[in-house]
Amino acid sequence: MSELVIKDLHVNVEENEILKGLNLTVRQGEIHAIMGPNGTGKSTLAYTLMGHPNYEVTAGEVLFKGQNILDLEPDERAHLGLFLAFQYPVAIPGVTVANFLRTAINAHRKAVNPEDKGISIPEFRKLLKERMDLLQMDHSFAGRYLNEGFSGGEKKRAEILQMVTLKPEIAILDETDSGLDIDALRIVSDGVNAMRGPAFGALVITHYQRILNYIKPDYVHVMLGGRIVESGGPELAERLEAEGYDWLREKHTQPVS
Ligand code: ADP
Ligand code: MG
């Protein structure tokens, strides 16, 4: 069983310490949610996990399948079985969603087995159709140019389609950006729920409690001031919905920085 283990992670952004000793373990088969007010470092965690160069790890480690992934390039992290949203945020003119997905699948297969000849076109078509049906997506979406003129919701759709075709062992999804509307939340939730099972784990990072009406997490964590200060089950999300974050701020008086 694969595990993502984050140990005492400290991260600087432009010389400011944003993550201040974060600990978290996500196993295959578990859905975790991280919640927290704006500016607490949730996206910093997501960008650090995906290997964004602006995020400087000053202490701690991140292990996936026992390997320290902080030394790996983003694509190497992906080939190990991690899925990190926002890997490909840019538009790629002339490359369709289908082409892009097929290239991504083949890159994964080659990383696992250098002799691999790639997925055949009929096999790929079958997989893509099955996965689009799973997400109730219109098949014409596969023929569109990736991210070119995509709305926020369509970018989400492309990202989630990528997730369900690559079938990662653990996915990390940061939902805080881009003012997600209800449709986009649905797309993300449908993808996570479709993948749910013993072979799939997810870390859903959000400041919207409402996504948790669609995805029922097994574990909920609250982040304040660059650390996880409280962990629990779904009842924790319900308490946050009812009471906000103030009771936690009082309980964990934030150090003056
Ligand atoms: P959250 O996702 O929880 O809202 P972020 O991780 O986006 O929080 O931001 C945490 C803190 O780090 C904020 O104070 C933010 O201003 C700062 N920060 C994040 N990214 C950058 C960046 N690229 N440059 C400078 N400061 C940043
Ligand atoms: Mg954020």
Side-chain angles (χ1 to χ4, degrees):
M1 183 197 46
S2 301
E3 269 187 353
L4 178 72
V5 182
I6 304 170
K7 281 190 202 164
D8 191 34
L9 188 63
H10 291 251
V11 173
N12 280 6
V13 181
E14 311 209 327
E15 312 289 313
N16 294 317
E17 185 169 65
I18 306 296
L19 297 188
K20 301 174 182 177
L22 189 136
N23 294 287
L24 182 68
T25 297
V26 178
R27 297 181 183 86
Q28 244 178 331
E30 300 174 349
I31 309 289
H32 292 248
I34 292 192
M35 314 189 62
N38 276 329
T40 51
K42 301 185 301 297
S43 294
T44 300
L45 174 63
Y47 282 117
T48 303
L49 294 175
M50 76 182 231
H52 193 292
N54 290 1
Y55 296 79
E56 185 202 351
V57 176
T58 56
E61 53 184 4
V62 180
L63 305 172
F64 183 58
K65 299 178 171 174
Q67 193 172 342
N68 189 350
I69 63 161
L70 296 176
D71 301 332
L72 302 179
E73 295 300 322
D75 63 329
E76 296 173 311
R77 301 177 192 206
H79 298 328
L80 272 184
L82 268 187
F83 178 85
L84 302 145
F86 301 153
Q87 266 176 285
Y88 306 98
V90 291
I92 312 182
V95 174
T96 62
V97 170
N99 281 337
F100 171 75
L101 290 171
R102 191 158 162 258
T103 305
I105 289 170
N106 286 340
H108 272 256
R109 289 171 56 139
K110 233 180 164 62
V112 175
N113 171 16
E115 306 286 291
D116 192 282
K117 296 278 182 286
I119 189 167
S120 73
I121 294 200
E123 197 189 340
F124 174 69
R125 286 220 179 106
K126 183 166 168 280
L127 173 74
L128 186 58
K129 185 174 175 297
E130 172 198 303
R131 297 281 121 180
M132 292 186 94
D133 289 343
L134 187 72
L135 299 176
Q136 297 181 314
M137 272 183 199
D138 194 301
H139 292 181
S140 66
F141 187 71
R144 293 199 40 200
Y145 291 140
L146 184 69
N147 287 340
E148 206 169 60
F150 276 18
S151 67
E154 287 167 339
K155 283 186 183 159
K156 262 301 127 179
R157 223 172 267 263
E159 179 184 300
I160 294 304
L161 185 59
Q162 194 193 340
M163 181 179 85
V164 302
T165 36
L166 291 177
K167 300 186 197 162
E169 291 163 25
I170 293 186
I172 295 143
L173 302 160
D174 184 354
E175 298 316 318
T176 53
D177 291 18
S178 72
L180 284 192
D181 58 14
I182 279 291
D183 280 351
L185 287 182
R186 275 246 155 88
I187 296 160
V188 173
S189 324
D190 288 350
V192 170
N193 290 330
M195 294 286 291
R196 209 171 183 135
F200 177 72
L203 179 58
V204 180
I205 302 174
T206 180
H207 72 195
Y208 295 114
Q209 277 98 321
R210 60 187 178 160
I211 196 172
L212 306 178
N213 297 332
Y214 301 102
I215 303 172
K216 290 277 173 255
D218 302 302
Y219 302 93
V220 174
H221 311 275
V222 181
M223 197 164 158
L224 275 183
R227 285 189 196 93
I228 286 173
V229 297
E230 193 85 15
S231 295
E235 76 289 345
L236 180 55
E238 281 159 29
R239 182 160 182 201
L240 293 172
E241 176 122 53
E243 299 179 38
Y245 292 104
D246 283 350
W247 62 281
L248 279 170
R249 286 199 180 91
E250 280 156 31
K251 192 166 156 190
H252 305 274
T253 309
Q254 289 188 57
V256 180
S257 53

